[in-house]
Amino acid sequence: MHDEELLTVADVMARLKVGRSKVYDLIRSRRLVSIKIDGARRIPVDSVRAFIQNQLGEAA
């Protein structure tokens, strides 16, 4: 597994240009998949890509 396959909440905040609470809202609403590793929340990069593609599809 590559280091960049799992992102931190801060990484996702930077990629999506949103705040921390929005990232957690997306996780809670299951629009972003995440896992916990010893209490640390990690988001697969593929989940972020899928979210962006879904948003682009809805905007079209």
Side-chain angles (χ1 to χ4, degrees):
M1 182 179 283
H2 297 26
D3 290 350
E4 294 186 280
E5 288 184 352
L6 292 175
L7 303 172
T8 65
V9 170
D11 293 335
V12 176
M13 289 168 56
R15 286 182 183 224
L16 297 180
K17 310 290 191 271
V18 298
R20 180 175 301 274
S21 62
K22 183 61 178 176
V23 174
Y24 281 106
D25 285 345
L26 293 171
I27 291 168
R28 264 191 300 279
S29 65
R30 300 179 193 264
R31 293 169 73 192
L32 277 180
V33 174
S34 72
I35 60 172
K36 281 184 103 172
I37 302 173
D38 293 333
R41 185 68 63 183
R42 295 293 179 259
I43 301 97
V45 71
D46 289 342
S47 178
V48 176
R49 287 188 186 123
F51 172 77
I52 292 168
Q53 288 302 314
N54 186 29
Q55 292 300 109
L56 289 171
E58 287 179 13

